[in-house]
Short mmCIF file of all heavy atoms in Angstrom, two decimals:
data_model
loop_
_atom_site.label_atom_id
_atom_site.label_comp_id
_atom_site.label_asym_id
_atom_site.label_seq_id
_atom_site.Cartn_x
_atom_site.Cartn_y
_atom_site.Cartn_z
N MET A 237 108.01 113.24 115.22
CA MET A 237 107.43 112.16 116.05
C MET A 237 106.09 111.75 115.48
O MET A 237 105.22 112.58 115.21
CB MET A 237 107.28 112.64 117.49
CG MET A 237 106.69 111.59 118.42
SD MET A 237 106.59 112.18 120.12
CE MET A 237 105.83 110.78 120.89
N SER A 238 105.90 110.45 115.32
CA SER A 238 104.66 109.95 114.74
C SER A 238 103.50 110.09 115.71
O SER A 238 103.64 109.85 116.90
CB SER A 238 104.82 108.48 114.33
OG SER A 238 103.58 107.96 113.92
N ARG A 239 102.35 110.44 115.17
CA ARG A 239 101.12 110.48 115.95
C ARG A 239 100.24 109.28 115.64
O ARG A 239 99.13 109.19 116.15
CB ARG A 239 100.35 111.77 115.66
CG ARG A 239 101.05 113.04 116.08
CD ARG A 239 100.13 114.23 115.95
NE ARG A 239 98.94 114.07 116.79
CZ ARG A 239 97.86 114.83 116.70
NH1 ARG A 239 97.80 115.78 115.80
NH2 ARG A 239 96.82 114.63 117.50
N PHE A 240 100.73 108.37 114.80
CA PHE A 240 99.91 107.24 114.36
C PHE A 240 100.43 105.97 115.00
O PHE A 240 101.49 105.48 114.62
CB PHE A 240 99.95 107.15 112.84
CG PHE A 240 98.95 106.19 112.25
CD1 PHE A 240 97.61 106.52 112.19
CD2 PHE A 240 99.35 104.96 111.75
CE1 PHE A 240 96.67 105.65 111.65
CE2 PHE A 240 98.42 104.09 111.20
CZ PHE A 240 97.08 104.43 111.15
N PRO A 241 99.71 105.40 115.97
CA PRO A 241 100.20 104.19 116.64
C PRO A 241 100.42 103.05 115.65
O PRO A 241 99.60 102.80 114.77
CB PRO A 241 99.08 103.87 117.64
CG PRO A 241 98.38 105.17 117.86
CD PRO A 241 98.46 105.90 116.55
N ALA A 242 101.51 102.34 115.83
CA ALA A 242 101.89 101.29 114.88
C ALA A 242 100.87 100.16 114.81
O ALA A 242 100.76 99.48 113.79
CB ALA A 242 103.26 100.73 115.25
N ASP A 243 100.12 99.95 115.90
CA ASP A 243 99.16 98.85 115.92
C ASP A 243 97.76 99.27 115.48
O ASP A 243 96.80 98.51 115.64
CB ASP A 243 99.09 98.22 117.31
CG ASP A 243 98.66 99.23 118.39
OD1 ASP A 243 98.58 100.44 118.08
OD2 ASP A 243 98.42 98.80 119.53
N THR A 244 97.62 100.46 114.89
CA THR A 244 96.31 100.92 114.44
C THR A 244 95.82 100.07 113.27
O THR A 244 96.52 99.95 112.25
CB THR A 244 96.39 102.39 113.99
OG1 THR A 244 96.87 103.19 115.07
CG2 THR A 244 95.01 102.90 113.57
N PRO A 245 94.64 99.47 113.36
CA PRO A 245 94.14 98.67 112.22
C PRO A 245 93.73 99.57 111.06
O PRO A 245 93.08 100.60 111.25
CB PRO A 245 92.93 97.94 112.82
CG PRO A 245 92.48 98.80 113.96
CD PRO A 245 93.72 99.44 114.52
N VAL A 246 94.16 99.20 109.87
CA VAL A 246 93.78 99.93 108.66
C VAL A 246 93.12 98.93 107.71
O VAL A 246 93.80 98.13 107.06
CB VAL A 246 95.00 100.59 107.99
CG1 VAL A 246 94.58 101.33 106.72
CG2 VAL A 246 95.68 101.56 108.95
N ARG A 247 91.81 98.98 107.67
CA ARG A 247 91.04 98.04 106.84
C ARG A 247 90.54 98.68 105.55
O ARG A 247 90.44 98.01 104.53
CB ARG A 247 89.86 97.50 107.64
CG ARG A 247 90.24 96.70 108.89
CD ARG A 247 89.03 96.40 109.74
NE ARG A 247 88.45 97.63 110.29
CZ ARG A 247 88.74 98.13 111.49
NH1 ARG A 247 89.60 97.49 112.27
NH2 ARG A 247 88.17 99.24 111.92
N ARG A 248 90.19 99.95 105.62
CA ARG A 248 89.69 100.69 104.46
C ARG A 248 90.35 102.05 104.41
O ARG A 248 90.45 102.74 105.42
CB ARG A 248 88.17 100.85 104.51
CG ARG A 248 87.40 99.56 104.29
CD ARG A 248 85.89 99.78 104.34
NE ARG A 248 85.47 100.35 105.62
CZ ARG A 248 85.26 99.63 106.72
NH1 ARG A 248 85.45 98.31 106.69
NH2 ARG A 248 84.89 100.21 107.84
N VAL A 249 90.79 102.43 103.21
CA VAL A 249 91.48 103.70 102.99
C VAL A 249 90.85 104.41 101.80
O VAL A 249 90.57 103.77 100.78
CB VAL A 249 92.99 103.48 102.71
CG1 VAL A 249 93.70 104.81 102.53
CG2 VAL A 249 93.63 102.66 103.81
N LEU A 250 90.63 105.71 101.95
CA LEU A 250 90.08 106.52 100.86
C LEU A 250 91.04 107.68 100.63
O LEU A 250 91.23 108.52 101.51
CB LEU A 250 88.69 107.02 101.22
CG LEU A 250 87.97 107.93 100.22
CD1 LEU A 250 87.88 107.28 98.84
CD2 LEU A 250 86.58 108.29 100.74
N ALA A 251 91.65 107.71 99.45
CA ALA A 251 92.67 108.71 99.12
C ALA A 251 92.13 109.70 98.09
O ALA A 251 91.64 109.29 97.04
CB ALA A 251 93.93 108.03 98.59
N PHE A 252 92.25 110.98 98.41
CA PHE A 252 91.76 112.05 97.53
C PHE A 252 92.93 112.77 96.87
O PHE A 252 94.00 112.94 97.47
CB PHE A 252 90.94 113.06 98.33
CG PHE A 252 89.61 112.55 98.78
CD1 PHE A 252 89.47 111.94 100.02
CD2 PHE A 252 88.49 112.68 97.97
CE1 PHE A 252 88.24 111.46 100.44
CE2 PHE A 252 87.25 112.21 98.39
CZ PHE A 252 87.12 111.60 99.63
N ALA A 253 92.68 113.25 95.65
CA ALA A 253 93.67 114.04 94.93
C ALA A 253 92.95 115.05 94.05
O ALA A 253 91.78 114.87 93.69
CB ALA A 253 94.55 113.14 94.07
N ALA A 254 93.67 116.09 93.69
CA ALA A 254 93.12 117.07 92.77
C ALA A 254 93.16 116.56 91.34
O ALA A 254 92.21 116.73 90.58
CB ALA A 254 93.87 118.40 92.88
N HIS A 255 94.28 115.95 90.94
CA HIS A 255 94.51 115.55 89.55
C HIS A 255 94.95 114.09 89.47
O HIS A 255 95.52 113.56 90.42
CB HIS A 255 95.63 116.41 88.92
CG HIS A 255 95.48 117.87 89.16
ND1 HIS A 255 96.29 118.57 90.03
CD2 HIS A 255 94.61 118.77 88.63
CE1 HIS A 255 95.93 119.84 90.03
NE2 HIS A 255 94.91 119.99 89.20
N PRO A 256 94.73 113.45 88.31
CA PRO A 256 95.38 112.16 88.07
C PRO A 256 96.89 112.33 88.22
O PRO A 256 97.45 113.31 87.73
CB PRO A 256 95.00 111.84 86.62
CG PRO A 256 93.77 112.65 86.35
CD PRO A 256 93.94 113.92 87.14
N ASP A 257 97.54 111.45 88.89
CA ASP A 257 98.96 111.33 89.22
C ASP A 257 99.33 111.90 90.58
O ASP A 257 100.37 111.55 91.13
CB ASP A 257 99.91 111.83 88.12
CG ASP A 257 100.14 113.35 88.07
OD1 ASP A 257 99.67 114.10 88.95
OD2 ASP A 257 100.79 113.80 87.11
N ASP A 258 98.52 112.76 91.18
CA ASP A 258 98.87 113.35 92.48
C ASP A 258 99.03 112.28 93.56
O ASP A 258 99.98 112.31 94.34
CB ASP A 258 97.79 114.34 92.94
CG ASP A 258 97.77 115.63 92.14
OD1 ASP A 258 98.80 115.99 91.55
OD2 ASP A 258 96.70 116.29 92.11
N ILE A 259 98.10 111.33 93.61
CA ILE A 259 98.17 110.28 94.63
C ILE A 259 99.44 109.46 94.47
O ILE A 259 100.11 109.11 95.45
CB ILE A 259 96.94 109.36 94.56
CG1 ILE A 259 95.69 110.11 95.04
CG2 ILE A 259 97.15 108.09 95.39
CD1 ILE A 259 94.39 109.33 94.84
N ASP A 260 99.82 109.18 93.23
CA ASP A 260 100.97 108.32 92.99
C ASP A 260 102.27 109.00 93.40
O ASP A 260 103.16 108.38 93.97
CB ASP A 260 101.00 107.88 91.53
CG ASP A 260 99.77 107.05 91.19
OD1 ASP A 260 99.57 106.02 91.85
OD2 ASP A 260 98.99 107.45 90.31
N PHE A 261 102.38 110.30 93.15
CA PHE A 261 103.55 111.04 93.63
C PHE A 261 103.56 111.12 95.15
O PHE A 261 104.61 110.98 95.79
CB PHE A 261 103.57 112.45 93.04
CG PHE A 261 104.21 112.53 91.69
CD1 PHE A 261 103.43 112.67 90.55
CD2 PHE A 261 105.59 112.47 91.54
CE1 PHE A 261 104.01 112.74 89.29
CE2 PHE A 261 106.18 112.54 90.29
CZ PHE A 261 105.39 112.68 89.16
N GLY A 262 102.40 111.34 95.76
CA GLY A 262 102.36 111.63 97.19
C GLY A 262 102.31 110.44 98.11
O GLY A 262 102.86 110.49 99.21
N ALA A 263 101.64 109.35 97.68
CA ALA A 263 101.33 108.32 98.68
C ALA A 263 101.25 106.91 98.13
O ALA A 263 100.82 106.00 98.85
CB ALA A 263 100.00 108.66 99.36
N ALA A 264 101.65 106.66 96.88
CA ALA A 264 101.44 105.33 96.30
C ALA A 264 102.18 104.23 97.04
O ALA A 264 101.69 103.10 97.13
CB ALA A 264 101.86 105.33 94.83
N GLY A 265 103.35 104.53 97.59
CA GLY A 265 104.09 103.50 98.31
C GLY A 265 103.37 103.07 99.57
O GLY A 265 103.26 101.87 99.87
N THR A 266 102.86 104.04 100.33
CA THR A 266 102.12 103.75 101.55
C THR A 266 100.84 103.00 101.23
O THR A 266 100.47 102.03 101.93
CB THR A 266 101.81 105.05 102.30
OG1 THR A 266 103.05 105.71 102.62
CG2 THR A 266 101.02 104.79 103.57
N LEU A 267 100.15 103.41 100.18
CA LEU A 267 98.91 102.75 99.79
C LEU A 267 99.17 101.33 99.32
O LEU A 267 98.39 100.41 99.62
CB LEU A 267 98.20 103.56 98.71
CG LEU A 267 97.68 104.93 99.18
CD1 LEU A 267 97.30 105.80 97.99
CD2 LEU A 267 96.51 104.77 100.14
N ALA A 268 100.27 101.12 98.60
CA ALA A 268 100.63 99.76 98.18
C ALA A 268 100.93 98.87 99.39
O ALA A 268 100.54 97.69 99.43
CB ALA A 268 101.84 99.80 97.25
N LYS A 269 101.60 99.43 100.39
CA LYS A 269 101.90 98.68 101.61
C LYS A 269 100.60 98.25 102.29
O LYS A 269 100.44 97.09 102.70
CB LYS A 269 102.75 99.54 102.55
CG LYS A 269 103.22 98.83 103.82
CD LYS A 269 103.94 99.78 104.74
CE LYS A 269 105.26 100.26 104.18
NZ LYS A 269 106.30 99.18 104.21
N TRP A 270 99.66 99.19 102.43
CA TRP A 270 98.38 98.87 103.06
C TRP A 270 97.60 97.83 102.24
O TRP A 270 96.99 96.92 102.80
CB TRP A 270 97.54 100.12 103.25
CG TRP A 270 97.91 100.92 104.47
CD1 TRP A 270 98.44 100.44 105.63
CD2 TRP A 270 97.75 102.33 104.64
NE1 TRP A 270 98.62 101.47 106.53
CE2 TRP A 270 98.21 102.64 105.96
CE3 TRP A 270 97.28 103.35 103.83
CZ2 TRP A 270 98.19 103.93 106.46
CZ3 TRP A 270 97.27 104.65 104.34
CH2 TRP A 270 97.72 104.93 105.64
N ALA A 271 97.61 98.00 100.92
CA ALA A 271 96.90 97.04 100.06
C ALA A 271 97.48 95.64 100.24
O ALA A 271 96.74 94.65 100.32
CB ALA A 271 96.97 97.47 98.60
N ASP A 272 98.80 95.53 100.33
CA ASP A 272 99.44 94.24 100.52
C ASP A 272 99.06 93.62 101.87
O ASP A 272 99.05 92.39 102.02
CB ASP A 272 100.96 94.38 100.44
CG ASP A 272 101.46 94.60 99.03
OD1 ASP A 272 100.67 94.46 98.08
OD2 ASP A 272 102.66 94.93 98.87
N GLN A 273 98.76 94.47 102.83
CA GLN A 273 98.38 94.00 104.17
C GLN A 273 96.89 93.67 104.26
O GLN A 273 96.41 93.29 105.32
CB GLN A 273 98.76 95.05 105.21
CG GLN A 273 100.27 95.23 105.36
CD GLN A 273 100.65 96.44 106.20
OE1 GLN A 273 99.79 97.24 106.60
NE2 GLN A 273 101.93 96.59 106.48
N GLY A 274 96.17 93.83 103.14
CA GLY A 274 94.77 93.43 103.10
C GLY A 274 93.77 94.56 103.17
O GLY A 274 92.56 94.31 103.18
N ALA A 275 94.24 95.81 103.20
CA ALA A 275 93.32 96.94 103.26
C ALA A 275 92.64 97.14 101.90
O ALA A 275 93.25 96.89 100.85
CB ALA A 275 94.04 98.22 103.66
#
C-alpha cells in the first residue's frame, strides 16, 4: 500500500547514490517521470 498521496506536489528532487550508475538502476524511470512533469 502506497504511503505517498498521488496529489503530492514534487517540484525539487535530490537523489543520492553510492556509485555512478546506482541511481539509474534504482530510480531513473521515476526521476525521468518527475523531470517530464517539470520537477
Side-chain angles (χ1 to χ4, degrees):
M237 180 178 178
S238 173
R239 295 189 60 193
F240 191 75
D243 60 351
T244 303
V246 179
R247 298 171 294 266
R248 290 181 301 278
V249 182
L250 178 55
F252 289 91
H255 312 107
D257 80 7
D258 289 336
I259 290 173
D260 297 302
F261 274 104
T266 300
L267 293 167
K269 184 185 293 287
W270 278 331
D272 286 350
Q273 293 170 354

